[in-house]
Amino acid sequence: MVRILEMQDYFKMLYGLGYKRFYNKNEILFFEGEIPKKILVILKGKVRIYKTTQNKEETLHYIESLNFIAEMPSFLQIPYPASAVCMNECEILEIDLEIFKKQCIGNVDFCLPFIASLCQKIKILENHISKNSQSLKERVKKFALENKEELQKLTQRQIAQKLNTSPESLSRILKELKNAGFIKTQKGKIIIV
């Protein structure tokens, strides 16, 4: 695994290859189906990757700085499989694809952090596939156990959004879990029993 310091040095090296653009909160970086023209790196801020199906947005992942955004479709020049929106003010480094590829060809070490980033995205995809193969009840239980401290800060609406479900569906599952003695609720917050 590439150490964080090395990754930071790597991203600093990328600064000289591209230019920075600033995006406002809720500004769209790209839409699903668009053909990428640049390699994108988030320098500051947070980006939400989402798909829209049947007029419903499903959050796939959040990307924070320092990180590549949608590097696989950019590198292969295939349409973006999802859309991206800035969750707050973002600073994005945009690198011309041909310049980036020349660096990869000319310097094998230049490719290693990029490959590490791709591997990280594969892990995210595997996690997403695993989540979707579980029932909502299993996903809620797993989320509750993995986020015990965070549960006190989140509203049920926020939890539903993180689990890509409706607040009504979450409410039904919470009622089942409450009746089974797995959780209790207090002032709208979930507490694991």
Side-chain angles (χ1 to χ4, degrees), residues 179-192:
N179 291 339
F182 182 75
I183 62 163
K184 64 181 182 177
T185 55
Q186 186 175 8
K187 296 182 182 178
K189 304 297 182 187
I190 300 166
I191 300 165
I192 298 175

Side-chain angles (χ1 to χ4, degrees), residues 6 19 21 26 34 38 50 53-54 65 67 81 84 88 91 99-100 116 125 127 150 164 167 180 184 191:
E6 290 173 351
Y19 58 91
R21 279 196 57 199
N26 297 325
E34 286 182 8
K38 309 275 184 199
Y50 68 95
T53 54
Q54 301 170 352
S65 57
N67 219 325
N88 48 25
E91 185 177 329
I99 292 172
F100 187 83
L125 178 61
N127 189 31
E150 197 176 342
N164 291 315
K184 64 181 182 177
I191 300 165

Side-chain angles (χ1 to χ4, degrees), residues 43 50 52 58 67 82 92 97-98 122 133 143 159 184:
L43 301 176
Y50 68 95
T52 304
E58 179 183 353
N67 219 325
I92 307 292
L97 186 58
E98 292 310 312
I122 291 169
S133 66
F143 180 86
I159 293 169
K184 64 181 182 177

